[in-house]
Amino acid sequence: MRDSYDHVCRYIAKESDSVLVSVGYHLAPEQKYPSQFHDCLTATVHFLKKAEDYGVDPARIIVSGDSVGGNFVASVCQALVSRADLVKPLAQILIYPGLQAIDFNLPSYQQNRAVPILYREHVICSALQYLNKDLSVLESVMQGCHVPSDIKTRFGKCINSENIPEEFKARGFKPSEAASFLDDVYEVVKQALETTFSPLMAEDAVLSQVPKACIITCEYDVLRDDGILYKKRLEDNGVPVTWCHIEDGFHGVINFFNGFLSFPSGKKGVDSIVTFIRSL
C-alpha cells in the first residue's frame, strides 16, 4: 500500500520543498478500530516532539491524508486540541476524506453509488469490517436505521443534504425518507458514531481550535459531500479553508497524476496540494 503512494509523496516533497513522513499504520482486519487512529496520533505526536532532529521547524508541520487517511487527519487534529504540551500543527490537508457514518444517502452517495473505484456498499462494508462487525446489518446502516433520535437532533442540521450547494444536486438527488431506528443495529455499529470514527460529529468547541485546512473533493466520488460538509463546519467555526473541487475527478485520482495511466484531474489534485503548502 505504501509503495502505491511513493510517487505521490516524492512529487509533493520535491515540488513543495518539504520533508515528508509517510505513516505505515496497522491495517484491518488484523488490527481493529481504533488502532489505526492511535497509530497516526502516536506518529504525529512523536514527530511534533522530534521534528528538529529531522531539520524540521515544529511550528510548520502539516498533517495530511487521503480517503480514510483524511479521516485520520481530522481525528488527529481534533485530538491534538487538548494537548497543551505540544506545538499545534500549522495546517491539515484532507484529500477526499470520509468523515461520517450517519448519512449514507447524501447527494454524492446517491449519485456516485456505483462509480468506480469506491462504491457506496463498499464504503459501508469496509466500515463494518474496520469495526469487526457483522455485515448482515449493511442494508439497515445504508438506510440510516442505526442512528438514534438524540444524535439526529444534535447533528441533523450540520450533516444534512440541505447544507450541500444546489449545483451538486443537479445530477439527480432524492431526499430519503426517515428510517425507523433499530436498537439492535445501533448496538452493533455504535462505535461508528464516535468522533474518532466520524470526526464530522465533533463539537464546535473542538472544531474552532483545529488548524487551517485544505480540503480536496471530487465530483464523481461518494465521499464528496463529507468534504463539503466539513468545509462548512470548519468555516462556521472560524477556521480558514482552502477548497479544491475537481470537477472531473474520482476517488483516488491523485494516484494517477503521471505515468502510463494518468489523468489531468490527478495532476490538478497534487498541484493544488503543492500550491497550498507553498502558500503557508
Side-chain angles (χ1 to χ4, degrees), residues 43-64:
T44 304
V45 169
H46 175 78
F47 195 71
L48 286 167
K49 290 180 176 179
K50 300 293 185 179
E52 292 181 347
D53 293 348
Y54 299 91
V56 174
D57 181 351
R60 295 187 56 78
I61 291 174
I62 304 165
V63 187
S64 176

Side-chain angles (χ1 to χ4, degrees), residues 26-33 35-36 129-130 132:
H26 290 95
L27 301 177
E30 292 77 18
Q31 295 292 325
K32 306 302 181 186
Y33 167 84
S35 297
Q36 292 77 5
Q129 291 177 322
Y130 179 31
N132 195 25

Side-chain angles (χ1 to χ4, degrees), residues 88-164:
K88 297 297 186 289
L90 176 63
Q92 55 182 321
I93 302 174
L94 297 86
I95 307 162
Y96 29 78
L99 300 169
Q100 58 86 29
I102 289 181
D103 191 346
F104 294 105
N105 285 285
L106 292 168
S108 63
Y109 269 108
Q110 291 189 21
Q111 296 162 349
N112 303 310
R113 62 187 180 278
V115 175
I117 57 174
L118 189 64
Y119 304 103
R120 176 169 62 172
E121 286 194 6
H122 183 204
V123 172
I124 303 171
C125 180
S126 297
L128 291 172
Q129 291 177 322
Y130 179 31
L131 294 170
N132 195 25
K133 303 302 181 182
D134 194 326
L135 298 182
S136 64
V137 300
L138 189 151
E139 189 65 32
S140 295
V141 171
M142 187 183 301
Q143 295 173 8
C145 300
H146 63 299
V147 185
S149 58
D150 62 319
I151 290 181
K152 287 182 179 179
T153 299
R154 287 177 61 197
F155 297 101
K157 291 184 178 180
C158 59
I159 304 176
N160 191 301
S161 61
E162 293 181 2
N163 291 324
I164 303 299

Side-chain angles (χ1 to χ4, degrees), residues 2-16 20 66 95-96 216 218 246 249-274:
R2 276 177 286 176
D3 289 345
S4 67
Y5 285 89
D6 185 67
H7 67 302
V8 178
C9 292
R10 287 178 180 273
Y11 180 86
I12 293 173
K14 179 181 178 181
E15 296 300 317
S16 65
L20 193 150
D66 80 316
I95 307 162
Y96 29 78
I216 297 174
C218 291
I246 306 175
F250 54 90
H251 194 82
V253 73
I254 68 166
N255 288 75
F256 301 96
F257 79 96
N258 67 359
F260 175 72
L261 180 61
S262 61
F263 299 90
S265 52
K267 187 66 160 53
K268 177 181 177 180
V270 291
D271 284 345
S272 67
I273 296 169
V274 170

